[in-house]
Amino acid sequence: MGKIFYMMGKSSSGKDTIFQEIFKRQTWDLRRIVLYTTRPARANEKNGVDYYFVNETVLDRMQHAGQVIELRAYQTVHGVWKYFTADEGQIDLKEYSYLAIGTLESYYKMRDYFGEERVVPIYIEVEDGERLSRALERERNQSEPKYEELCRRFLADSRDFSEENLKCAGIKKRFQNNGTLEACVEEILMYIGEKLKEEEKR
């Protein structure tokens, strides 16, 4: 049986970059679980790679088909944006292991859906001042910067990923991305390898 390595962290903690680097370097044939979202694509984001960008009609159809595993809705300054994971055929734990990105809330639901032994949390941490600096730099590079939304997300992350919530989720191991990206990626690769070897011995 395979595992789902579930990557989490506050906004601008480097999740997306680390996610891509893991796929470039991994040698275990990990598959990716591409999330769905109703928000507009950012500059350089590709449909089916970063997310599946869909509208409310598509979401409603998938919900009625019983394909939505977890769904999050955020009231932003630009309206309601939704993110969700769907079991529409892309996940086969009998054959493969996967890497995905989500929130603490979605981690709970994925863990409940697939089982605690199948979903492995990978929590990435960055010092808040550095994280805010990165977020500002990224937003400036957008064709239409959304600074109000940046501030909302930054404050929401402090609540969502509070120490109390992390403790309740049983997340003890943390991967620091305050220094070089290379060191963080290598540490995560080693961790994934260890978990897959443990699974092979069962």
Side-chain angles (χ1 to χ4, degrees):
M1 290 289 286
K3 289 186 177 293
I4 298 173
F5 295 95
Y6 208 73
M7 193 173 293
M8 296 170 282
K10 297 175 181 177
S11 57
S12 299
S13 60
K15 298 186 299 297
D16 294 326
T17 302
I18 291 171
F19 185 87
Q20 298 300 331
E21 286 299 314
I22 294 296
F23 268 105
K24 286 180 185 177
R25 306 183 194 193
Q26 60 97 10
T27 58
W28 307 288
D29 194 26
L30 291 178
R31 303 299 175 95
R32 69 179 68 204
I33 298 175
V34 181
L35 301 183
Y36 289 75
T37 184
T38 61
R39 76 158 168 77
R42 296 187 184 123
N44 301 320
E45 285 185 326
K46 295 181 180 179
N47 188 47
V49 177
D50 299 287
Y51 291 94
Y52 289 115
F53 296 97
V54 299
N55 56 31
E56 290 285 346
T57 301
V58 173
L59 171 56
D60 288 343
R61 185 169 67 244
M62 295 179 77
Q63 283 182 306
H64 282 106
Q67 295 175 323
V68 176
I69 298 172
E70 59 85 22
L71 169 67
R72 293 153 272 152
Y74 301 98
Q75 179 63 56
T76 77
V77 294
H78 304 282
V80 177
W81 288 350
K82 296 178 181 178
Y83 297 79
F84 63 99
T85 307
D87 187 5
E88 79 305 31
Q90 69 170 311
I91 304 171
D92 181 5
L93 288 174
K94 291 181 179 179
E95 296 292 335
Y96 304 106
S97 288
Y98 296 83
L99 186 66
I101 299 178
T103 66
L104 199 58
E105 177 187 355
S106 64
Y107 164 71
Y108 275 124
K109 292 181 180 178
M110 291 288 284
R111 189 180 67 181
D112 291 344
Y113 187 87
F114 290 105
E116 188 171 356
E117 72 282 358
R118 297 291 116 212
V119 185
V120 180
I122 296 179
Y123 181 66
I124 298 168
E125 201 165 53
V126 173
E127 188 273 325
D128 278 347
E130 173 64 21
R131 191 167 62 84
L132 181 58
S133 177
R134 293 179 188 180
L136 283 168
E137 181 179 357
R138 183 176 71 179
E139 206 59 40
R140 287 193 189 102
N141 292 327
Q142 299 296 314
S143 57
E144 295 182 13
K146 299 178 173 65
Y147 294 115
E148 288 182 71
E149 174 59 16
L150 182 158
C151 293
R152 184 202 66 78
R153 289 182 63 195
F154 189 87
L155 294 174
D157 282 342
S158 296
R159 297 188 298 271
D160 295 343
F161 289 100
S162 67
E163 289 299 318
E164 181 181 356
N165 288 344
L166 291 173
K167 184 178 180 180
C168 289
I171 295 176
K172 298 178 182 179
K173 186 169 182 61
R174 306 179 187 198
F175 298 90
Q176 301 297 323
N177 189 26
N178 292 311
T180 63
L181 178 72
E182 177 74 21
C184 186
V185 169
E186 286 300 319
E187 185 181 2
I188 294 172
L189 284 168
M190 288 181 62
Y191 182 70
I192 290 173
E194 290 169 1
K195 291 297 181 182
L196 290 174
K197 284 181 181 178
E198 290 175 5
E199 184 64 25
E200 288 177 0
K201 293 177 181 178
R202 292 185 178 184

